[in-house]
Amino acid sequence: MITIDKVIELVCATDEFCKNFEAELSKNLKIAPIKGAEKCTRDE
């Protein structure tokens, strides 16, 4: 059975992974920014 504590633990672990992953990408991945990329939106 999945308890709320396990869900919270999973979310925290995922958040920590994303923070570390983003930091590693910013150190190791050098890609020129795409002009207008920040303006992209999803049309529904």
Side-chain angles (χ1 to χ4, degrees):
M1 184 172 164
I2 298 176
T3 63
I4 193 71
D5 292 335
K6 288 291 183 185
V7 173
I8 292 171
E9 183 180 343
L10 180 61
V11 170
C12 290
T14 304
D15 184 53
E16 188 67 27
F17 170 81
C18 289
K19 288 178 187 176
N20 292 331
F21 187 71
E22 184 176 0
E24 287 298 318
L25 279 181
S26 67
K27 286 192 301 188
N28 298 321
L29 189 60
K30 305 296 182 197
I31 297 178
I34 300 171
K35 184 178 179 181
E38 65 277 353
K39 297 178 186 175
C40 292
T41 59
R42 182 176 163 204
D43 295 330
E44 293 184 18

